[in-house]
């Protein structure tokens, strides 16, 4: 790729992420209070991809993460909030970044996740019962990282995900739900982790996904007729890589789009050029560039959304 490594403002992005964390009274921090566990995962994974994770106090982070765990085994978005599978995956991912999965009571945590599987193989997000293929991905990703996939009915879990496949090759949140790139990532990621990608028509899905790249900007949208958005770089690219069709898009043009969404002055990445930056789009921008093999970034695993060295330690006990 004809890209210069100096174009990604590494130092400024590190500074920006640290500033969001420090400035707890800012508008951004207050609106994110209830999903701080997700924010911690986005920020810390970004730092790790930039090879700057050592600047954070890992004992402080781990102690806070563990204070967010409930008796049920699930994690909340912050201390004194309710547990949800959405925050539970982020908690597991944060501990994985620090190679600290051993602090977990794996049986209690995996019992919590298994308890959210329904008769038809689908998953609810918490005890209130909303069903969504996002929760299938989260359950499967979590249990796989904990080496406990055998504790759920994976056959039925896969069958449910396959039932959410549409005639356009994409996937929705429930059977018949409209195809959406975020949902496609969840379904393709879950099928990849369980070794079930043979259920997918890769050419059909690959076609739908590469049509998400907009000719003018080079950015990706999440479904037809929508504006491009940096976070869709991740949902679309990771899915294309998992089905081996990433060569169908213009990678250099997408990298240009992401780099053009940086705040070159104060750091951070936004959804589109000149919008306000946030930690979410900073993470997905950097993760997208990592998938595009941008120079100087650690490689990220497209199914687990964690650095490849972290995944290798978990599954092969090596760096
Ligand atoms: C954003 N959430 O519902 S949210 C999220 N969106 O918690 C976090 N691209 O207003 C941040 N849109 C910013 N920091 C946005 C996470 C959403 C996704 C909204 C968004 C992103 C376009 C409109 C859902 C994983 C987890 C959660 C989501 C997706 C994937 C918001 C709006 C929504 C949310 C939070 C803040 C600033 C940040
Ligand atoms: Zn977005």
């Amino acid at each position: 790729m004809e890209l210069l490594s100096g174009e990604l403002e590494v130092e400024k992005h590190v500074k920006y992420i640290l500033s969001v964390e420090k400035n707890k009274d800012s508008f951004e921090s207050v609106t994110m209070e209830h999903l701080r566990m997700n924010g911690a995962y986005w920020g810390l994974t970004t730092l790790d991809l930039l090879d700057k994770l050592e600047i954070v106090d890992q004992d402080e982070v781990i102690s806070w993460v563990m204070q967010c765990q409930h008796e049920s085994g699930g994690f909340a978005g912050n201390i004194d909030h309710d547990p949800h599978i959405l925050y539970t995956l982020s908690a597991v991912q944060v501990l994985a970044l620090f190679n600290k999965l051993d602090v977990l009571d794996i049986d209690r945590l995996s019992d919590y996740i298994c308890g959210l599987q329904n008769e038809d193989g689908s998953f609810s997000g918490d005890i209130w019962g909303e069903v969504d293929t996002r929760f299938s991905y989260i359950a499967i990703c979590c249990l796989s990282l904990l080496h406990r996939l055998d504790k759920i009915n994976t056959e039925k879990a896969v069958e449910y995900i396959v039932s959410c496949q549409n005639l356009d090759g994409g996937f929705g949140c429930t059977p018949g739900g409209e195809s959406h790139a975020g949902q496609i990532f969840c379904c393709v990621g879950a099928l990849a982790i369980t070794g079930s990608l043979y259920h997918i028509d890769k050419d059909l899905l690959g076609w739908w996904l590469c049509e998400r790249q907009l000719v003018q900007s080079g950015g990706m949208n999440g479904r037809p007729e929508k504006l491009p958005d940096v976070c869709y770089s991740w949902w679309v690219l990771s899915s294309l890589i998992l089905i081996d069709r990433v060569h169908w898009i213009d990678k250099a043009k997408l990298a240009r789009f992401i780099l053009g969404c940086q705040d070159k002055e104060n750091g951070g990445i936004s959804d589109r050029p000149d919008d306000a930056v946030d930690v979410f789009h900073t993470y997905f921008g950097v993760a997208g560039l990592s998938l595009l093999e941008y120079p100087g970034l650690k490689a990220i695993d497209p199914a687990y959304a964690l650095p490849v060295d972290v995944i290798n330690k978990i599954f092969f006990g090596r760096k």
Side-chain angles (χ1 to χ4, degrees):
M1 211 183 306
E2 356 55 88
L3 286 167
L4 299 170
S5 55
E7 291 179 273
L8 182 65
E9 300 282 352
V10 173
E11 293 309 326
K12 285 185 176 154
H13 297 324
V14 170
K15 244 182 158 169
Y16 165 72
I17 287 169
L18 296 177
S19 78
V20 171
E21 173 50 35
K22 262 194 230 114
N23 201 351
K24 288 194 182 131
D25 296 326
S26 71
F27 172 74
E28 184 166 16
S29 296
V30 172
T31 53
M32 296 287 290
E33 216 259 343
H34 66 289
L35 45 109
R36 193 151 175 256
M37 190 65 74
N38 295 336
Y41 159 70
W42 299 325
L44 293 166
T45 309
T46 307
L47 292 179
D48 199 17
L49 292 173
L50 301 171
D51 209 8
K52 295 288 190 314
L53 194 58
E54 72 272 15
I55 61 182
V56 308
D57 182 342
Q58 74 167 63
D59 294 338
E60 196 185 324
V61 175
I62 291 163
S63 140
W64 170 75
V65 169
M66 295 314 288
Q67 288 177 68
C68 295
Q69 191 174 26
H70 274 242
E71 263 156 58
S72 62
F75 286 80
N78 209 333
I79 296 171
D80 294 331
H81 287 233
D82 292 330
H84 195 285
I85 199 169
L86 281 168
Y87 311 120
T88 302
L89 175 59
S90 289
V92 169
Q93 287 169 317
V94 168
L95 295 174
L97 286 175
F98 293 113
N99 196 20
K100 276 284 184 316
L101 289 176
D102 55 351
V103 305
L104 289 167
D105 177 345
I106 305 247
D107 289 316
R108 194 156 66 96
L109 175 48
S110 51
D111 282 347
Y112 167 79
I113 299 167
C114 298
L116 296 171
Q117 189 171 30
N118 303 306
E119 209 45 55
D120 62 358
S122 67
F123 280 84
S124 300
D126 60 13
I127 54 166
W128 306 107
E130 187 203 353
V131 167
D132 191 310
T133 43
R134 280 184 301 156
F135 308 146
S136 299
Y137 166 75
I138 290 174
I140 286 169
C141 186
C142 259
L143 291 172
S144 173
L145 292 169
L146 302 171
H147 307 287
R148 289 294 186 284
L149 256 188
D150 56 311
K151 284 183 70 168
I152 52 160
N153 188 334
T154 37
E155 215 170 292
K156 276 200 145 180
V158 167
E159 193 185 304
Y160 181 78
I161 292 168
V162 171
S163 78
C164 296
Q165 197 165 17
N166 294 315
L167 290 173
D168 60 16
F171 293 82
C173 28
T174 48
E178 188 192 355
S179 293
H180 174 102
Q183 226 70 42
I184 291 172
F185 161 77
C186 291
C187 294
V188 173
L191 294 178
I193 292 170
T194 54
S196 319
L197 283 175
Y198 60 87
H199 288 288
I200 291 182
D201 181 338
K202 294 181 180 170
D203 287 337
L204 185 65
L205 177 58
W207 177 247
W208 191 93
L209 287 168
C210 70
E211 280 196 308
R212 305 279 60 75
Q213 186 164 35
L214 295 151
V215 181
Q216 276 230 316
S217 63
M220 299 282 186
N221 65 13
R223 45 200 166 118
E225 317 297 336
K226 297 283 178 182
L227 290 171
D229 178 332
V230 158
C231 66
Y232 288 105
S233 312
W234 169 267
W235 312 116
V236 174
L237 256 186
S238 58
S239 303
L240 281 170
I241 291 171
L242 290 170
I243 63 167
D244 201 19
R245 295 292 181 276
V246 75
H247 52 286
W248 287 7
I249 61 147
D250 187 335
K251 291 168 74 179
K253 212 166 168 190
L254 178 57
R256 287 252 144 272
F257 175 78
I258 299 172
L259 291 166
C261 294
Q262 299 179 96
D263 181 334
K264 292 236 168 204
E265 222 171 291
N266 303 308
I269 300 175
S270 54
D271 55 356
R272 282 181 282 287
D274 302 317
D275 276 358
V277 303
D278 60 53
V279 179
F280 180 88
H281 290 97
T282 303
Y283 164 59
F284 284 109
V286 170
L289 289 170
S290 166
L291 290 178
L292 292 166
E293 299 170 274
Y294 188 85
L297 291 178
K298 281 201 196 179
I300 187 162
D301 184 279
Y304 292 96
L306 281 170
V308 169
D309 62 350
V310 170
I311 292 301
N312 283 342
K313 261 188 231 153
I314 291 172
F315 293 109
F316 312 110
R318 64 175 161 79
K319 212 172 151 106

